[in-house]
Amino acid sequence: MSIRILSGIQPTGNLHLGNYLGAIRNWVRMQDEGECYFFLADLHALSSYIDPQALAAGIREMAAALIAAGIDPTRATLFRQSAVKAHAELQWLLNGTARVGWLNRMTQFKDKSGKNREGASVALYTYPVLQAADVLLYQATHVPVGDDQKQHLELARDIATKFNADYAVDLFTIPEATIPPAAARIMSLRDGTAKMSKSDPSDMSRINLSDDADTVAQKIRKAKTDAEPLPEDPADLNDRPEARNLVSIYAALSDETPAAVLARFTGHGFGTFKPALAELVIESLRPLTTRLGQLGADTAELDRLLAIGAERARQTAAPTLAGAYRAVGLG
Ligand code: TYM
């Protein structure tokens, strides 16, 4: 079976270090391993109200950020989800297969709707079914994501299995999540128990790809930590979430294990570790931020690349959508 890789990101806010280390760096690496489809999940972005102009701008900004991070639109198919209508159509067909009980278990819905469940949008609730459609439409075998998307991928597998069984077809490939061993969950710089997120109101909680060197250094200097020196054994960081997060970021960027990083910094406090981390983050992101600065302004070129990607994606998606309509009796 050939390898087909697919993943998406919401074009709301900036590409941050959590997205980069948890997902995008894997997208870039996987371009050598199979046929790749990467998209801007602009339909998913509608699950919370977003200013229409901000959404339109965010789509181009995120496309530029992905290209700057190393996605090559001549090798990978890069497109906007809403430009391929088959995503929304397949979602409706899959709504017949997905169970309310399955959606009720989704932790992201519970987290995002919080205490105001009755006031959450229906899109926020059915969001994982659209995500299943995204993946199944392309017969993806591998889906590189961070840890927070694992449950959504399991749901996509359940929907695919049930659809194939209910309609006695062998239509959908059962996809697998590819989650990085380290950095699958980068936490907020202000709270080591909350994930680094585009939607966190505090910009100090995350490092954005678009941040300049001074901003990165300042955010790391102000990151919440504790007064203890760094231990030798990574297990001793288990109840020090902020310290563990900073060590994980260092390890992910230097491609080392946390144990190897601690071996160098053991006994030192954050007065030593934070400047070293800041330098590593700045140096690692420098090529990306430089490319982003060059690309960002060329909106016509970005639109052209996304249009080419959408056309390719439409062609790949068409036979599976047609197969799904046939399977349910609407062929
Ligand atoms: P989104 O836009 O929230 O995040 C994009 C990718 O970044 C990962 N990620 C993180 N990884 C590690 N640490 C963090 N703090 C962190 N924050 C985000 C996410 O796991 C994700 O891989 N629903 C998806 C987009 C989507 C999708 C899909 C993904 C829509 N359809 C189909 C895969 C396949 C989302 O909102 O990701």
Side-chain angles (χ1 to χ4, degrees):
M1 190 175 58
S2 63
I3 292 188
R4 190 169 281 170
I5 296 146
L6 170 135
S7 200
I9 183 166
Q10 292 196 54
T12 46
N14 285 306
L15 186 61
H16 59 68
L17 199 61
N19 300 135
Y20 179 64
L21 293 176
I24 312 305
R25 196 167 63 153
N26 259 347
W27 298 11
V28 173
R29 290 177 175 173
M30 290 177 91
Q31 289 181 113
D32 298 325
E33 290 166 23
E35 194 184 336
C36 288
Y37 291 82
F38 299 126
F39 64 92
L40 309 162
D42 51 1
L43 294 175
H44 276 108
L46 300 176
S47 55
S48 307
Y49 177 80
I50 173 164
D51 173 73
Q53 278 170 4
L55 179 59
I59 289 167
R60 289 185 180 126
E61 280 163 23
M62 189 58 80
L66 294 179
I67 294 169
I71 300 299
D72 174 357
T74 63
R75 281 198 294 159
T77 299
L78 178 67
F79 63 102
R80 292 168 47 182
Q81 183 185 34
S82 65
V84 183
K85 310 292 181 222
H87 291 245
E89 286 186 63
L90 184 62
Q91 182 196 15
W92 187 257
L93 300 187
L94 298 182
N95 275 340
T97 300
R99 305 288 91 186
V100 169
W102 297 355
L103 292 185
N104 283 344
R105 283 198 288 277
M106 295 295 117
T107 56
Q108 183 176 292
F109 175 71
K110 289 186 210 169
D111 291 347
K112 288 204 173 174
S113 58
K115 291 200 181 71
N116 185 24
R117 221 169 145 164
E118 298 288 308
S121 75
V122 173
L124 191 65
Y125 185 66
T126 59
Y127 172 123
V129 186
L130 178 60
Q131 185 157 343
D134 298 337
V135 175
L136 300 179
L137 201 48
Y138 296 89
Q139 309 287 348
T141 55
H142 295 74
V143 184
V145 283
D147 198 50
D148 61 337
Q149 297 301 320
K150 196 170 154 192
Q151 197 187 31
H152 290 158
L153 254 291
E154 278 159 14
L155 182 88
R157 292 166 62 94
D158 289 344
I159 292 175
T161 306
K162 183 168 164 56
F163 186 100
N164 284 346
D166 286 355
Y167 296 105
V169 287
D170 188 15
L171 179 65
F172 295 128
T173 302
I174 310 298
E176 259 180 59
T178 306
I179 297 176
R185 184 174 280 266
I186 299 292
M187 309 312 275
S188 154
L189 299 179
R190 309 300 300 166
D191 173 1
T193 64
K195 74 172 181 184
M196 186 177 283
S197 161
K198 288 179 270 218
S199 52
D200 192 315
S202 166
D203 196 56
M204 292 302 280
S205 70
R206 63 185 159 260
I207 291 170
N208 302 306
L209 216 70
S210 53
D211 287 342
D212 62 26
D214 288 346
T215 309
V216 171
Q218 193 203 23
K219 285 180 176 177
I220 292 178
R221 199 165 51 241
K222 297 212 164 153
K224 187 176 165 202
T225 40
D226 53 45
E228 300 291 312
L230 285 165
E232 193 180 340
D233 182 355
D236 291 336
L237 290 176
N238 284 351
D239 49 6
R240 296 171 63 188
E242 284 83 15
R244 188 177 56 183
N245 187 40
L246 296 188
V247 171
S248 306
I249 293 174
Y250 194 109
L253 285 172
S254 63
D255 263 324
E256 292 171 286
T257 60
V261 174
L262 288 176
R264 270 208 308 289
F265 288 98
T266 180
H268 289 284
F270 287 96
T272 308
F273 185 71
K274 280 182 168 178
L277 176 64
E279 196 184 314
L280 179 62
V281 173
I282 291 163
E283 285 315 312
S284 308
L285 296 186
R286 193 185 301 281
L288 282 62
T289 42
T290 308
R291 270 203 301 274
L292 185 57
Q294 293 159 351
L295 267 166
D298 198 347
T299 52
E301 176 62 2
L302 289 168
D303 290 348
R304 188 186 72 84
L305 292 171
L306 289 174
I308 294 172
E311 186 47 41
R312 278 210 298 262
R314 279 192 284 268
Q315 282 172 19
T316 307
T320 304
L321 182 66
Y325 274 121
R326 260 196 317 276
V328 301
L330 298 177

